[in-house]
Amino acid sequence: MSVPEGSFPLPAAATAVTAPQKRFRVDGWVLFALLLAALVLVPVVVSLSSFARIDGSILSHLSEFVLPELLVNTFWLLLGVGFGVTLLGVSLAWLVAMCEFPGRRLFDWALLLPLALPAYVTAFVAIDLLDFSGPLLSWLREGWGITGLPEVRSRGGVVMVLSLALYPYVYLISKNAFATQGAMALEAAQSLGLSRTQGFVRVALPMARPWIVAGLMLALMETLADFGTMAIFNIDTFTTAIYKAWYSLFSLPAAAQLASVLILFVLVVVVLEQRSRAQMRYAAVGRSGVSRRIVLSPVMAALACLYSGLVLLLAFGVPVAQLVVWTLDVAVQDLDARYWSFAWHSLILSGLGALLVVVFSVLLAYAGRQRPSALMRWTQRLATLGYAFPGAVLAVGLFIPVAALDNALIDLARDWFGFQGTEIFKGSLLVMLLAYLVRFLAVGFGPMDSGLQRITRNVDEAARSLGTRTSRLLARVHLPMLRASLSTAAALAFVDIMKEMPITLMTRPFGWDTLAVRVYEMTSEGQWERAALPSLAIVLVGLVPILFLTWRADKLRC
């Protein structure tokens, strides 16, 4: 009996013989991804190459007077912030995901609001309220005779501020992990004789450990990259030292050498973060496991509500309320034509930066869809590694080669055309926009890549069978289906660039001050009230993507 061809699956060996063999080839998509990855590696290579031209006097000064303090400060900050964000993030995630108490649905999304508040804004509000001459300590000292409280301008003060600002990273990821487990894991532990507390410590917490570590690593990378908070507290870390080496000592080699040490720190954290993600395994559970929560006793429910509300109040409510009060006081005299200029520059730079990020993210994710291979996956990872590098490192690492190119072009232009200028690219927006692209490409790539993953290959094959070419397939089929991913990527990149401080501060052309730069200038002079107006504008813009993503998540659940 004969079997019609195609009606019966061929053995694997036969399939291997008859299937067309795909050969790896370098075409436009692969070349584009490789060039983008090379752009991300430029600041790393430039910073590390600074050790090839070591200046003995600079190295001696750094190793004797600078590095010891930076290393000590960095160690204590990472230790303190790591403990703080883990304690706050995990406890809040457990309560919201697993327990039923009054206000739980509100706290579910409201506890993410501190993400809209830059840490440097929380920092100067905290200093004003908790300083020795501030209203809170004055009231405690004069009204109740309480003295001897800890000084806020200290490492402990920075740890407190960064813990309140960065705990949402741990909270968001851990909440998803606990929700995935459901109450069934805890009930299984209790059926084996463990108490609820023992079940949490010995079962639920170890099962969520990879997610907790992933959120913790993100918070630690933000701590290493932070510039504004450290500058306000006057705590020297690598980012502030890089800025001082460039602008106070006028030594780019010293800035590059400090940046290279910071890169080593960051790479260690990135490797740990990647190892924690490699241990993640997702398991499907029934809806009953997600929706059934632990019903707390009235006393415990009240304590859970009080604890969640207190954290939200300290991390978001008090800073925003103080900003509003200060803004009302200074708005009349401060709100002049300069502020419209600051806001306009912020909008232009954030818009251009977000546009660059979205365009390159679409093309990078699409390159992976068109040319899937191990090389492409590694290239995409390298191209999105820039988010792990602090802005100060990217600013130094990109400025040095652009300055070298500038000098070469100026010499040629002077010889050939009698050019009399001193800047070509250095005085433009090029370095700043390149640094934005490298820093925030991962922010846009994530939504685009996950959006493309949800579009089946059958759509591509159906379009190609009708003669549609790749460019028309992207423009007329895929992009309309990626509207939600495009809006998410654009909103996240726009807000991140709006809040960004070190890149803007170090690479902006003359006269291109933004709202973030205005905050830095006012806080560096101790004028907290006058920093409130630009800070409040940044916070209001930062709320947009959080509310948008919350609305979208609710819509998907319905």
Side-chain angles (χ1 to χ4, degrees):
M1 185 176 68
S2 64
V3 178
E5 186 179 356
S7 63
F8 196 81
L10 293 172
T15 306
V17 171
T18 57
Q21 297 296 309
K22 291 185 178 179
R23 290 185 178 179
F24 174 77
R25 58 191 173 89
V26 177
D27 59 5
W29 290 110
V30 176
L31 194 60
F32 167 78
L34 289 173
L35 288 175
L36 199 55
L39 175 65
V40 174
L41 293 179
V42 164
V44 178
V45 174
V46 168
S47 299
L48 294 177
S49 65
S50 64
F51 282 104
R53 307 182 304 275
I54 292 179
D55 185 326
S57 59
I58 293 177
L59 185 63
S60 173
H61 174 78
L62 291 178
S63 58
E64 187 173 356
F65 299 105
V66 180
L67 280 177
E69 183 182 2
L70 299 186
L71 291 173
V72 170
N73 285 343
T74 302
F75 170 78
W76 283 112
L77 288 178
L78 290 179
L79 188 66
V81 174
F83 176 78
V85 297
T86 304
L87 180 65
L88 293 176
V90 172
S91 59
L92 292 169
W94 174 260
L95 288 173
V96 170
M98 299 297 298
C99 302
E100 196 61 59
F101 60 94
R104 186 196 61 79
R105 291 176 64 84
L106 170 67
F107 291 123
D108 188 6
W109 62 268
L111 286 169
L112 292 174
L113 290 179
L115 282 177
L117 196 64
Y120 54 78
V121 174
T122 308
F124 72 76
V125 172
I127 286 183
D128 180 79
L129 294 177
L130 301 176
D131 207 4
F132 181 80
S133 58
L136 182 60
L137 291 195
S138 298
W139 176 69
L140 291 175
R141 194 169 51 248
E142 296 168 5
W144 302 87
I146 299 175
T147 58
L149 293 175
E151 173 64 41
V152 68
R153 295 175 186 264
S154 62
R155 290 183 196 138
V158 179
V159 167
M160 177 191 68
V161 166
L162 289 180
S163 298
L164 289 172
L166 302 178
Y167 82 81
Y169 289 106
V170 179
Y171 164 75
L172 181 61
I173 299 177
S174 303
K175 186 183 69 166
N176 293 333
F178 289 136
T180 304
Q181 293 176 16
M184 289 183 290
L186 194 60
E187 290 170 356
Q190 289 180 289
S191 69
L192 295 175
L194 298 180
S195 67
R196 187 175 292 171
T197 305
Q198 289 173 325
F200 170 74
V201 174
R202 297 176 59 178
V203 177
L205 207 53
M207 287 176 66
R209 186 178 58 83
W211 284 266
I212 296 171
V213 174
L216 173 63
M217 291 300 117
L218 289 175
L220 294 184
M221 280 194 281
E222 289 291 332
T223 303
L224 285 173
D226 187 273
F227 171 80
T229 308
M230 307 304 171
I232 289 170
F233 273 88
N234 201 23
I235 299 287
D236 278 335
T237 59
F238 282 96
T239 53
T240 57
I242 291 169
Y243 180 80
K244 289 177 181 176
W246 188 349
Y247 283 91
S248 299
L249 302 176
F250 302 103
S251 174
L252 269 176
Q257 286 167 12
L258 289 171
S260 62
V261 177
L262 182 53
I263 285 175
L264 295 179
F265 266 98
V266 171
L267 289 178
V268 170
V269 177
V270 169
V271 170
L272 292 175
E273 194 269 345
Q274 291 291 328
R275 286 176 62 87
S276 70
R277 283 181 184 273
Q279 298 177 37
M280 290 184 177
R281 297 291 183 272
Y282 295 89
V285 296
R287 290 186 60 84
S288 62
V290 176
S291 58
R292 193 168 65 246
R293 293 185 172 84
I294 302 168
V295 179
L296 299 176
S297 66
V299 174
M300 294 304 293
L303 289 176
C305 182
L306 182 64
Y307 172 61
S308 303
L310 184 62
V311 173
L312 180 61
L313 186 69
L314 294 176
F316 187 78
V318 171
V320 171
Q322 185 62 67
L323 290 180
V324 171
V325 171
W326 280 336
T327 299
L328 293 175
D329 289 341
V330 302
V332 175
Q333 58 181 356
D334 258 21
L335 191 58
D336 52 23
R338 293 172 307 152
Y339 265 93
W340 300 117
S341 172
F342 299 148
W344 176 244
H345 290 158
S346 295
L347 291 174
I348 286 289
L349 292 175
S350 302
L352 287 175
L355 181 63
L356 270 180
V357 167
V358 170
V359 170
F360 279 82
S361 298
V362 169
L363 294 177
L364 183 62
Y366 211 65
R369 188 178 182 88
Q370 294 298 316
R371 302 291 181 267
S373 67
L375 173 65
M376 181 59 77
R377 286 195 296 275
W378 277 103
T379 305
Q380 287 177 325
R381 286 187 181 183
L382 284 177
T384 53
L385 196 60
Y387 193 68
F389 296 131
V393 172
L394 298 178
V396 172
L398 288 172
F399 182 83
I400 290 176
V402 169
L405 175 65
D406 223 33
N407 293 336
L409 291 177
I410 287 173
D411 290 340
L412 286 176
R414 189 171 294 145
D415 294 339
W416 292 356
F417 308 109
F419 180 72
Q420 297 299 320
T422 58
E423 292 180 340
I424 297 178
F425 295 122
K426 283 189 297 187
S428 68
L429 299 176
L430 177 67
V431 179
M432 187 189 296
L433 292 177
L434 282 178
Y436 286 157
L437 175 63
V438 172
R439 178 87 168 89
F440 300 113
L441 185 62
V443 174
F445 177 77
M448 301 312 309
D449 190 47
S450 58
L452 279 173
Q453 296 288 343
R454 287 195 290 269
I455 301 175
T456 64
R457 296 279 178 179
N458 295 337
V459 175
D460 301 29
E461 294 169 3
R464 289 187 190 284
S465 69
L466 297 175
T468 307
R469 300 179 62 181
T470 302
S471 57
R472 290 173 64 84
L473 179 64
L474 173 62
R476 303 188 61 175
V477 178
H478 287 139
L479 286 183
M481 299 175 73
L482 290 170
R483 284 195 299 268
S485 298
L486 286 168
S487 56
T488 302
L492 291 175
F494 185 90
V495 173
D496 269 345
I497 295 173
M498 177 78 82
K499 294 189 296 184
E500 205 285 333
M501 183 179 281
I503 292 175
T504 311
L505 195 63
M506 297 169 76
T507 62
R508 73 190 190 282
F510 179 76
W512 275 84
D513 288 352
T514 64
L515 292 172
V517 172
R518 179 67 174 173
V519 173
Y520 174 78
E521 290 175 346
M522 292 297 98
T523 53
S524 63
E525 297 173 5
Q527 300 188 48
W528 314 130
E529 295 88 348
R530 298 186 66 187
L533 184 56
S535 300
L536 193 59
I538 294 173
V539 173
L540 292 177
V541 174
L543 287 175
V544 173
I546 294 178
L547 297 178
F548 170 73
L549 294 176
T550 303
W551 168 79
R552 194 175 155 212
D554 289 341
K555 191 176 177 183
L556 290 175
R557 276 198 290 263
C558 293

